[in-house]
Amino acid sequence: MKGSPTLAGPKALAAPVAGLLAGRRHLGLLAALALLAIVGLLTAPDSFATSSNFVSILALAATIGVITVGMTFVIIGGGIDLSVGAVMALASVWATTLATQSYGPVVMAVCAILVGTGAGAVSGLLVAYGRMVPFIATLAMMVAASGLAQRLSDRKTQLVKPENDAIVALSTERVLGLPILVYVFAAVVVAGWVLLNRTTFGRRTFAVGGNPEAARLAGIDVRKHTVLLYALSGFCCGVAALLIMARTTTGSSTHGNLYELDAIAAVIIGGTLLTGGRGTIIGSILGLLIFTVITNLFILNGLNTSDQLIAKGLIIVVAVLLQRRSLPGTS
């Protein structure tokens, strides 16, 4: 009958339900951060609640955080990228060679971003057009990028020359008490959130990760979109290379060791499904901050790195188990 109410279908209810679940998860992550803050106040009252320690936590989170944004897109899109740490190292090495540095900081920055984006695009091409499993394709890129970084640098640490201190200024110069690299991190997070939640690219990413065949039938070029997702991840690696160069004043093939594991763990803890199709930028960043604060607490309390890794491993296991329980059809 005309004007009579109609019942909402499953598709109409899907978005509100997903939003509710994401909101609840975000509240849980905030509660976990608050609990860690209480632990910090109890175990290291003189050093935890200081402005310098707060800045240290944000600076430590910035580099991995930029990589985490790119990783979020890849995993929501149904893939995974194991090469991010090695690609970041390669970008930092390439940007700090004597030949590149001779052109100045702008060219160094462009070089790092182009190298990262290019490496990501190659991984995407292997996955999309080479039909390789993302795990294998990005594992191969990780090995190749690491080897190339070692070859370019001759396994030596390359210092940023004094005339290129504009790069180092990202870490040393402060605005309102915070290093510029923290603002770069914030800008990447905001841009990532807008891209994922307010653009056609973001909607296509959810569609490709949720059901690639349905996305193809809906007119989405799944292979092209997959390449773009990995190129975006590589772009984030290039930006992260700038930040690590600013923090350490070096380019090195050892940069980014285990960053891929930290980024993947942060994304999982933040609620992104490993099977793709669901996730949020905010959740990933909250997951990253939890890991960063844990690392900070271990350092302040003089605990072993091995114990820290064990704690992180347990957190990942718990996060995955909780994720499985939240999926329909699982118990």
Side-chain angles (χ1 to χ4, degrees):
M1 181 181 297
K2 184 179 180 179
S4 61
T6 57
L7 294 176
K11 290 184 178 180
L13 292 173
V17 171
L20 178 62
L21 291 175
R24 290 178 59 185
R25 179 172 288 274
H26 293 168
L27 288 176
L29 294 172
L30 287 172
L33 274 174
L35 180 61
L36 288 173
I38 293 173
V39 172
L41 291 172
L42 292 176
T43 60
D46 297 330
S47 52
F48 181 78
T50 62
S51 59
S52 61
N53 189 56
F54 176 71
V55 171
S56 176
I57 290 174
L58 290 179
L60 181 62
T63 305
I64 304 178
V66 171
I67 291 176
T68 299
V69 171
M71 185 70 75
T72 302
F73 276 89
V74 170
I75 294 181
I76 290 176
I80 197 166
D81 193 348
L82 301 180
S83 68
V84 290
V87 169
M88 187 195 76
L90 174 61
S92 76
V93 166
W94 210 316
T96 53
T97 60
L98 293 177
T100 306
Q101 289 204 56
S102 65
Y103 291 100
V106 174
V107 172
M108 291 174 65
V110 172
C111 176
I113 292 173
L114 288 179
V115 169
T117 305
V122 170
S123 294
L125 289 169
L126 292 174
V127 173
Y129 294 94
R131 299 186 181 278
M132 294 181 66
V133 176
F135 181 91
I136 300 300
T138 57
L139 180 63
M141 176 56 72
M142 178 181 73
V143 175
S146 179
L148 183 56
Q150 292 178 22
R151 187 176 184 86
L152 283 174
S153 64
D154 196 24
R155 298 190 178 185
K156 297 177 182 177
T157 299
Q158 300 174 163
L159 297 177
V160 176
K161 298 167 69 174
E163 54 267 34
N164 294 319
D165 276 349
I167 298 290
V168 181
L170 294 174
S171 178
T172 58
E173 295 293 329
R174 299 197 175 195
V175 177
L176 300 178
L178 295 175
I180 296 175
L181 61 83
V182 173
Y183 293 99
V184 174
F185 169 43
V188 171
V189 171
V190 171
W193 185 91
V194 172
L195 185 61
L196 184 63
N197 296 284
R198 294 292 185 267
T199 67
T200 302
F201 183 88
R203 290 190 292 272
R204 289 178 177 175
T205 299
F206 284 109
V208 169
N211 191 326
E213 181 60 21
R216 185 186 66 80
L217 294 175
I220 299 174
D221 189 336
V222 175
R223 291 190 295 183
K224 177 182 177 182
H225 193 82
T226 299
V227 174
L228 292 176
L229 287 175
Y230 282 93
L232 176 61
S233 177
F235 173 87
C236 290
C237 291
V239 175
L242 288 177
L243 302 187
I244 198 71
M245 286 157 52
R247 285 181 53 215
T248 63
T249 70
T250 65
S252 173
S253 60
T254 61
H255 284 331
N257 185 35
L258 296 182
Y259 273 27
E260 61 278 357
L261 299 184
D262 284 344
I264 293 170
V267 173
I268 295 172
I269 292 172
T272 298
L273 291 182
L274 276 173
T275 52
R278 191 183 83 186
T280 65
I281 295 292
I282 300 302
S284 296
I285 297 306
L286 289 175
L288 169 71
L289 290 176
I290 287 174
F291 261 23
T292 307
V293 172
I294 289 174
T295 300
N296 181 257
L297 289 176
F298 272 76
I299 293 173
L300 292 180
N301 289 283
L303 300 177
N304 293 329
T305 304
S306 56
D307 295 333
Q308 178 189 141
L309 294 175
I310 293 171
K312 287 184 176 181
L314 290 174
I315 292 172
I316 294 171
V317 170
V318 171
V320 172
L321 290 176
L322 291 175
Q323 192 179 92
R324 286 178 58 84
R325 288 176 63 87
S326 69
L327 294 175
T330 60
S331 58

